[in-house]
Amino acid sequence: MAVPASGTARPSSTILQAAYGGILRYPLLVALAAVIVLFSLASPVFLTAANLQSILVNNVTLLVIVTIAMTFAVAVGGIDLSVGTAIDFASFAFVSLVLAGQPVGVAALAGLASGALVGAFNAVLISLIGISPFLATLGTLFIGRSLQQILTNGGNPVYLPPAGVPEAFRFLGRGTLAGIPVPLVIAGALILVATLVFARTRFGRVAIAIGIQPDVVRYSGVASRAHVAVTFILVGLIAAVAGLILTATVTVYIPSSGNAFLLNAIGATFIGTTLSPLGRPNIPGTVLGVLLLGIVANGLLLTGLNFYWQQVGTGTLIFAVLALSFARRRHAKA
Amino acid sequence: MSVELDLTPLSPLGQEATPAGPALGGQIAALALRAGSLIAFAVIVAVFAITAPYFLSVGNIGNVVGQSAIPGVLAVGLTIVLIAGGSNVVTGGIDLSLAANMGLSAAVYATLAQAGYGDGTAVAAALLTGGIIGAVNAFAVVVAGIVPLLATLAVMNVVAGIELVLTQNTVIPATTPLLSALSSSGPLGIPVLGLVLVVFTLIVGAIVQFTPTGLRLYAVGEFPEAGRAAGLPVRRLTAGAFVASGLCGGFAGILSVSNLSGSTTGSGEMLLPVVVTALLGAVFSRRLVPTIGGTLLSTLFVGILVNGFQLLNISSTLVNGVQGILILLVVSATTLLRKKEA
Amino acid sequence: MTLPAHRPGAALSFSAIVKHFDGAQALAGASLTVPRGTVHGLVGQNGAGKSTLIKLLAGLHQADDGQIEIDGVEHRTLTPHLVETLGIHFIHQDRLLVPTFTVGEALFLGREPRIAGTPFLDRRLMQRRAADILDDYFGIRIPNSALIRDLSTAERQIVQITRALLDQPKVLVFDEPTAALVRREADILFRLIRRLRDEGVTILYVSHYLNEIEALCDAVTVLRNGRDVATLPLAQTSASEIAGLMIARDIGEMFPKRDVVPGHDILKVHGLQLSGKYHDVSFSLRRGEVLGLTGLLGSGAKDVLRTLFGLDQADGGTIEIDGQPARRLDPVRAAQRELALVPEDRRRNGVALDMTVGENLTLSSLKQFTRFGFLETARERGEADRLIARLEIKTAGRDALVRTLSGGNQQKVAIAKWLSRHSQIYLLDEPTVGVDIGSKVEIYRLIGDLAERGAGVIVLSSDLTELVGITDRILVLFRGRVIRAFASAETTPEAVLAASTGSSEVLRHVG
């Protein structure tokens, strides 16, 4: 084994360098692996099938759907603060129509349409009037809150009486397909479709291009404003799916409850975006971001730490991950 | 054929027509926007005054100002960040951690008060808490280079979590001489909190609108290159704005303890209303930029709406809707205005 | 003409400066000496190296080789801060003023006066001093309450010059200061410059307007291809001689010969008008023809190109594409009508720097590689590879980011993305700015190639040698109107330059 003399001193440092480079390149996977190792050492329960399923069902399913919606908004260089509004409107329409005796399918379609309507309102503000997405969706969020107050006589929840829950409704929230919970199946399908949209469709490609350099898209003779409009409608529609599942699971509509997802969805989207090799919004990154948040929340609980440390943990994690990724960008530029 | 040599360069069109044409139109439109919002303000006050006679009483006006104190202090803090960060909310100035900051500072204050520490220690600790949160934001934005929207979002999560850990999600009651003084009524039955808001905005307003430092904050936010060209310490000014905003959060925390006789959870609810209030404030300034005075007016405007709705027995949650519609109207108007000018 | 007495010696001295950008040589041993207390002109065509030289002086870039001396002291590395402390100030084309500030605030930002004994701004003093200074130097009045964003371009420029004057500069560098000024304002500026010179300030004056140079400067240095070709006292030269020096004669062989018989009209513009930009612009473009368009900054030439691609809407006149009227064009419809635009600001509008070469190449033709909304990635990749090979784009591959390419290769990408869309009318805005010489020739060849395949090409360029070399006809815009049309084979760059600067005197000498 002839090792060049000059090389003998190096291996440890090159391994360190490679490790450092790896962390910089795939920080999300590294972070996820580290967190999983940490928690499986800390708690014997963590790596059990039951717990992993619990993570997926309780911490991931709904958030991943909302975050996919957010990823589309971020892909075109925007943000959507009104995803919760779309969730609420879908939920309200769904519950109200089921309560009124409409077939579950009709009610679900109406729910999806309500979410898309919220998106369409944003689309008009953003693409037609030219308001920045942050402000436009902030306005929508506020108007949506008040509308829900009006619709519910001051914020009363709309319950579905236990006796009156149709089978299809129950199936959507609690049913299983081949042993897998239906919400998880839907989330999985959405992940696949959204991944395909970004990787393999013209729509996804143009959306990404708009997010990177909108002027070039316009100067290339591509209808960028129409693309942005469709994207925001799509965001409302996807968020509405989360609204339907949420309602079917808890069999109640509580006004303005959709907002609970907002900040985690933004956080997970940007974790996935800033930590991807090209720094673009992307579905795998989004999914990993949601998993990371979900695992940390679950793991902190399992390790016996006080429930309230969850938020500190996830917040610190998001902060650290963002700081790391911005440091990586500087590293890449230098 | 002799040709006169024309030695002067010519304008693109050689037209000496008033270049102020479009700009003047813009000025008029801006004026209309500002006058319109002031008139709307006045009309709403008038409507309330007529339909609810109690509305214009000194006691009620005092109540409005007193109830506006906490959101007002937060909105002022946010305004400083908006000024120094520029008008683009996503890449520029925003501090999403303000409301959580208030919650944690209040919890720190209440915890110390309950543990028997004096007002001096508790006040210092609450302000220190706010200042540290501001410093973390400043570090994340200026040193780590994270966009403010994300940086302050992450900090917000951490801060809200620490508050939960500290309070175990319970109310921590607190009574101290300072708190009693703050929650009492002053001359003419005006709540002390209202007076505090007025004095606070006067002081911050004096600094931001009337000192070189304030002017430089505007320069850094609107056009960092111009700031750099003028030799300003751009990064230090931006960092300072976040720290100032953090201190406002700490101050609002103290006020909220006095208002609620303790620290309570759910401060996060205040975040987006405060953001909207601060953004709306820009219509009350001649230049359509965020100002401390404009933010005070905007805060009072929202306070009056809530109060008037209560007096008229309309659900005060509808104020949200009015705010939403207002912000969309204002932003549409300014956006269309800018398009015209461009 | 009596020159004012000035201290002997050079305020600025550049010798044998060399500077490369992305492999392209911007300066190839340029020298320039500016004596103290004089007004020195610097002229050259676009790409001659003027702006590079100014940026080196400003400390924005560092020279690869050569010496820069300021007041007789050599400086190896210049920083913007150092340059300012040495008393050198720049009046840029992009004006660094905060739009929502008043004139007083903009003037005193960073050195604000305070009310004595207080920490507060003395707004009144700022306003009064601002008004006094503007009145004293320029004889103009701007209302105290007016904001920078409400001022005319010229007024903003005056405010910026005034800001520089407050620092009592030793050297003032004017970079195309009059491009946006109306005649009265330019007169004021000239008077001011002469007065400053008499007060001992050294002035370096960069301009395209030869008549300004002739009227204002004590001496002028002509740059060409990154070198200084002559420095002449104005007393011994003329605008026509300067024009002759600006234009290179040794690169005629760069331009490929084409042998195309132009076909029928593919684009007809009649009476096109956009108020404030251009008036009554009429011309036609035939298949197989390369039409040149030129004019100084603000002549309206660029705006005509923008209108054709639907980025701006004309107020009047008609555009006909292939015999069919084109109304209310926007970029989407323009592209559908087979128009292609290669914008001047390549890095902002032409290519997406953080997307890959492949993604850029198919951005405008993506529909062709789409079936039921899905990308046919194999075909798309094939097309990208084909374009990379055909245009000889030097890149690590189609998956490399465009950011990693040289300026010339980025430009090839910006042009190539239209080829798979089979565009028929190409609008090229300054296609060779910031492009190395090798890529330039390839771009010329590509333009000829497009014409031979029956496309119509409009090239807007201020490099007149290039324009005369590669076009069939040239239209010159001046003050928003087409004032001359040339047949390229029968004209010279000098004649075109004369027409575009509005200098009839030059025209008589050369033409």
Side-chain angles (χ1 to χ4, degrees):
Chain A
M1 286 223 306
V3 179
S6 64
T8 47
R10 279 221 193 123
S12 68
S13 79
T14 45
I15 286 169
L16 276 180
Q17 272 173 5
Y20 182 60
I23 289 173
L24 288 178
R25 238 177 122 192
Y26 300 105
L28 198 42
L29 280 176
V30 174
L32 201 58
V35 167
I36 290 174
V37 170
L38 202 72
F39 285 130
S40 40
L41 291 177
S43 159
V45 188
F46 180 77
L47 269 186
T48 59
N51 185 53
L52 293 181
Q53 177 163 359
S54 144
I55 292 177
L56 290 180
V57 173
N58 297 326
N59 300 73
V60 169
T61 311
L62 284 173
L63 183 58
V64 89
I65 296 175
V66 184
T67 310
I68 287 171
M70 185 65 75
T71 307
F72 276 94
V74 174
V76 291
I79 193 162
D80 190 346
L81 301 182
S82 66
V83 279
T85 313
I87 293 174
D88 293 333
F89 275 43
S91 176
F92 176 74
F94 191 37
V95 170
S96 307
L97 288 179
V98 169
L99 203 58
Q102 294 290 332
V104 172
V106 172
L109 279 180
L112 293 177
S114 308
L117 200 67
V118 174
F121 184 67
N122 288 329
V124 169
L125 295 174
I126 294 163
S127 280
L128 219 59
I129 302 182
I131 304 181
S132 80
F134 182 92
L135 295 176
T137 56
L138 183 62
T140 304
L141 166 65
F142 271 63
I143 295 171
R145 262 190 203 174
S146 283
L147 274 180
Q148 290 178 61
Q149 299 286 334
I150 295 171
L151 290 173
T152 58
N153 285 324
N156 298 313
V158 182
Y159 290 97
L160 219 49
V165 180
E167 193 46 42
F169 192 95
R170 202 186 299 276
F171 179 73
L172 180 61
R174 301 270 164 96
T176 55
L177 270 174
I180 305 168
V182 171
L184 205 54
V185 174
I186 295 174
L190 271 177
I191 291 171
L192 281 181
V193 171
T195 309
L196 210 59
V197 166
F198 279 115
R200 282 295 159 94
T201 67
R202 174 169 180 267
F203 180 82
R205 174 77 63 78
V206 172
I208 292 284
I210 292 171
I212 290 177
Q213 222 168 315
D215 285 347
V216 170
V217 178
R218 198 163 80 94
Y219 275 73
S220 297
V222 177
S224 53
R225 289 211 297 188
H227 261 88
V228 171
V230 173
T231 303
F232 273 90
I233 295 172
L234 195 63
V235 172
L237 190 65
I238 299 172
V241 174
L244 297 189
I245 296 175
L246 174 68
T247 316
T249 314
V250 297
T251 65
V252 59
Y253 153 74
I254 302 168
S256 301
S257 55
N259 274 334
F261 297 99
L262 176 63
L263 296 173
N264 276 340
I266 295 176
T269 305
F270 278 99
I271 287 180
T273 301
T274 48
L275 296 191
S276 71
L278 283 175
R280 298 178 181 179
N282 66 100
I283 298 299
T286 286
V287 174
L288 289 178
V290 173
L291 279 177
L292 192 62
L293 291 183
I295 287 173
V296 169
N298 170 278
L300 286 175
L301 205 61
L302 285 185
T303 46
L305 269 179
N306 186 305
F307 173 78
Y308 302 117
W309 280 104
Q310 267 192 29
Q311 201 172 353
V312 183
T314 49
T316 312
L317 180 82
I318 297 179
F319 190 81
V321 163
L322 288 175
L324 183 71
S325 71
F326 278 86
R328 177 184 66 123
R329 266 191 207 170
R330 276 192 200 172
H331 182 83
K333 269 183 196 165
Chain B
M1 196 173 114
S2 85
V3 183
E4 265 289 312
L5 229 183
D6 188 1
L7 282 179
T8 42
L10 292 145
S11 76
L13 283 176
Q15 292 174 339
E16 315 241 341
T18 56
L24 193 66
Q27 268 177 324
I28 290 169
L31 202 67
L33 184 63
R34 187 166 153 242
S37 33
L38 283 172
I39 289 169
F41 197 168
V43 166
I44 286 169
V45 170
V47 168
F48 286 154
I50 292 163
T51 47
Y54 175 65
F55 177 76
L56 267 191
S57 69
V58 175
N60 190 50
I61 296 290
N63 273 339
V64 170
V65 182
Q67 281 162 5
S68 302
I70 295 163
V73 169
L74 289 179
V76 164
L78 184 59
T79 305
I80 298 173
V81 173
L82 288 179
I83 290 170
S87 51
N88 184 333
V89 195
V90 178
T91 59
I94 189 91
D95 183 353
L96 298 182
S97 69
L98 252 177
N101 178 339
M102 176 188 81
L104 179 59
S105 302
V108 167
Y109 188 101
T111 308
L112 286 178
Q114 210 185 34
Y117 288 93
D119 268 325
T121 316
V123 166
L127 289 179
L128 186 68
T129 306
I132 290 175
I133 295 169
V136 172
N137 284 328
F139 171 84
V141 170
V142 174
V143 181
I146 309 175
V147 290
L149 184 76
L150 297 181
T152 58
L153 177 73
V155 170
M156 179 198 84
N157 269 317
V158 177
V159 170
I162 295 176
E163 186 201 340
L164 286 175
V165 171
L166 189 62
T167 64
Q168 297 298 308
N169 205 8
T170 56
V171 175
I172 299 178
T175 39
T176 69
L178 176 70
L179 295 179
S180 325
L182 281 174
S183 55
S184 64
S185 286
L188 295 172
I190 298 168
V192 172
L193 278 182
L195 297 175
V196 168
L197 174 66
V198 172
V199 172
F200 175 79
T201 37
L202 277 178
I203 294 172
V204 177
I207 297 171
V208 172
Q209 315 298 151
F210 295 105
T211 67
T213 309
L215 189 69
R216 292 168 181 199
L217 285 178
Y218 278 101
V220 165
E222 292 241 2
F223 199 171
E225 280 75 28
R228 237 166 260 132
L232 303 184
V234 174
R235 284 152 59 96
R236 217 186 310 154
L237 285 165
T238 311
F242 277 101
V243 174
S245 161
L247 287 172
C248 289
F251 187 52
I254 299 172
L255 300 187
S256 82
V257 178
S258 88
N259 196 34
L260 305 166
S261 307
S263 96
T264 57
T265 53
S267 57
E269 288 294 307
M270 294 205 51
L271 173 63
L272 291 175
V274 164
V275 170
V276 171
T277 303
L279 289 172
L280 272 180
V283 275
F284 293 113
S285 91
R286 184 173 75 87
R287 309 178 189 188
L288 292 180
V289 296
T291 59
I292 302 299
T295 298
L296 179 64
L297 276 182
S298 165
T299 310
L300 292 178
F301 184 55
V302 174
I304 285 172
L305 280 180
V306 173
N307 179 270
F309 279 20
Q310 278 165 355
L311 292 183
L312 296 177
N313 248 334
I314 305 171
S315 164
S316 63
T317 46
L318 293 189
V319 171
N320 272 341
V322 177
Q323 277 180 290
I325 291 169
L326 275 179
I327 192 126
L328 291 182
L329 281 180
V330 165
V331 177
S332 310
T334 39
T335 309
L336 296 175
L337 253 174
R338 267 187 214 137
K339 261 189 206 165
K340 235 184 198 168
E341 273 180 36
Chain C
M1 186 172 171
T2 53
L3 283 176
H6 53 75
R7 291 168 292 156
L12 298 175
S13 169
F14 296 77
S15 34
I17 305 290
V18 177
K19 178 71 188 170
H20 291 85
F21 290 109
D22 297 331
Q25 195 166 45
L27 288 173
S31 299
L32 166 69
T33 301
V34 183
R36 282 198 194 100
T38 64
V39 181
H40 196 96
L42 181 63
V43 298
Q45 293 201 31
N46 273 6
K50 287 175 308 197
S51 54
T52 308
L53 207 58
I54 299 300
K55 280 179 184 151
L56 291 177
L57 179 60
L60 297 174
H61 299 303
Q62 300 301 326
D64 299 340
D65 199 14
Q67 279 188 335
I68 300 179
E69 279 180 24
I70 296 168
D71 249 341
V73 181
E74 186 182 343
H75 290 275
R76 291 225 163 265
T77 44
L78 286 174
T79 62
H81 181 71
L82 174 63
V83 168
E84 198 175 314
T85 56
L86 291 170
I88 302 175
H89 287 265
F90 295 82
I91 312 300
H92 290 290
Q93 287 165 327
D94 48 348
R95 288 153 199 94
L96 296 173
L97 300 171
V98 180
T100 57
F101 275 17
T102 64
V103 173
E105 290 167 347
L107 280 182
F108 291 101
L109 177 66
R111 53 189 157 203
E112 307 84 354
R114 289 164 207 242
I115 299 171
T118 74
F120 298 117
L121 287 170
D122 194 340
R123 282 220 155 80
R124 227 182 266 166
L125 180 67
M126 282 160 64
Q127 285 174 355
R128 204 177 53 232
R129 281 199 56 198
D132 285 350
I133 297 168
L134 288 176
D135 190 35
D136 179 26
Y137 281 111
F138 298 95
I140 63 163
R141 287 189 170 280
I142 297 175
N144 284 337
S145 62
L147 303 183
I148 296 295
R149 67 170 174 223
D150 300 328
L151 301 184
S152 71
T153 321
E155 286 169 328
R156 282 179 217 183
Q157 188 159 31
I158 284 173
V159 173
Q160 212 204 353
I161 294 170
T162 312
R163 240 194 99 87
L165 293 181
L166 285 177
D167 283 337
Q168 303 191 314
K170 286 187 197 156
V171 178
L172 265 182
V173 181
F174 288 87
D175 197 354
E176 302 271 359
T178 56
L181 300 190
V182 296
R183 180 178 177 146
R184 187 171 50 87
E185 294 160 336
D187 278 344
I188 295 170
L189 177 66
F190 287 4
R191 267 202 301 277
L192 175 77
I193 288 177
R194 291 193 191 101
R195 173 170 155 191
L196 290 172
R197 177 191 60 191
D198 295 347
E199 289 172 5
V201 178
T202 307
I203 286 149
L204 181 58
Y205 192 89
V206 183
S207 179
H208 272 302
Y209 296 88
L210 296 184
N211 44 16
E212 282 179 17
I213 298 282
E214 208 173 19
L216 194 61
C217 298
D218 300 315
V220 60
T221 295
V222 182
L223 286 185
R224 193 172 74 211
N225 295 338
R227 284 195 181 81
D228 55 309
V229 289
T231 296
L232 304 162
L234 253 295
Q236 295 164 26
T237 187
S238 65
S240 62
E241 187 187 359
I242 298 170
L245 287 165
M246 281 165 66
I247 289 161
R249 321 202 144 277
D250 49 348
I251 49 170
E253 63 274 18
M254 275 172 55
F255 305 116
K257 281 275 159 276
R258 280 182 301 115
D259 196 16
V260 188
V261 182
H264 62 84
D265 285 347
I266 189 169
L267 177 70
K268 259 187 174 161
V269 173
H270 186 75
L272 207 62
Q273 158 172 342
L274 177 56
S275 75
K277 302 287 188 191
Y278 55 81
H279 293 275
D280 195 24
V281 171
S282 302
F283 62 86
S284 58
L285 172 73
R286 299 161 78 180
R287 281 188 176 279
E289 187 181 38
V290 181
L291 175 67
L293 214 55
T294 192
L296 297 176
L297 203 64
S299 66
K302 198 168 291 288
D303 303 293
V304 170
L305 225 53
R306 286 180 60 87
T307 305
L308 288 177
F309 196 65
L311 290 162
D312 296 326
Q313 299 297 324
D315 309 330
T318 57
I319 300 172
E320 257 180 40
I321 298 168
D322 237 351
Q324 301 296 315
R327 287 187 199 92
R328 293 190 52 79
L329 277 178
D330 58 32
V332 176
R333 287 197 202 129
Q336 278 163 1
R337 301 293 300 267
E338 301 183 330
L339 274 126
L341 175 72
V342 178
E344 178 184 12
D345 193 344
R346 175 169 62 228
R347 295 166 66 86
R348 183 184 300 172
N349 304 326
V351 289
L353 295 171
D354 288 316
M355 296 187 79
T356 66
V357 173
E359 286 169 334
N360 269 281
L361 284 172
T362 52
L363 186 57
S364 55
S365 59
L366 214 48
K367 260 190 186 145
Q368 291 166 29
F369 305 100
T370 307
R371 190 177 290 169
F372 308 120
F374 284 91
L375 295 172
E376 297 175 285
T377 38
R379 279 214 308 130
E380 191 200 347
R381 285 183 196 140
E383 176 71 6
D385 289 340
R386 198 180 62 77
L387 287 170
I388 291 171
R390 180 178 158 200
L391 275 73
E392 296 173 37
I393 298 169
K394 286 172 197 70
T395 166
R398 67 173 121 75
D399 292 331
L401 292 185
V402 167
R403 185 181 286 286
T404 63
L405 269 54
S406 73
N409 285 296
Q410 287 180 2
Q411 186 70 322
K412 286 191 210 165
V413 172
I415 301 174
K417 73 176 175 194
W418 295 105
L419 297 183
S420 35
R421 192 153 176 159
H422 307 297
S423 300
Q424 292 302 305
I425 302 169
Y426 287 80
L427 312 170
L428 310 179
D429 189 355
E430 301 284 1
T432 60
V433 163
V435 165
D436 63 284
I437 197 86
S439 298
K440 258 188 197 177
V441 176
E442 287 169 26
I443 289 170
Y444 296 151
R445 212 177 290 141
L446 180 64
I447 291 171
D449 202 38
L450 290 171
E452 273 173 24
R453 287 159 182 248
V457 184
I458 299 181
V459 178
L460 188 156
S461 176
S462 42
D463 180 340
L464 301 177
T465 316
E466 157 185 304
L467 208 59
V468 169
I470 62 173
T471 60
D472 300 307
R473 281 188 300 140
I474 297 172
L475 301 180
V476 179
L477 272 87
F478 186 72
R479 298 169 61 187
R481 289 174 197 281
V482 178
I483 57 154
R484 281 291 303 262
F486 294 95
S488 306
E490 292 154 25
T491 189
T492 61
E494 288 85 347
V496 179
L497 178 66
S500 63
T501 56
S503 169
S504 30
E505 203 248 5
V506 177
L507 202 62
R508 270 187 294 142
H509 277 263
V510 180

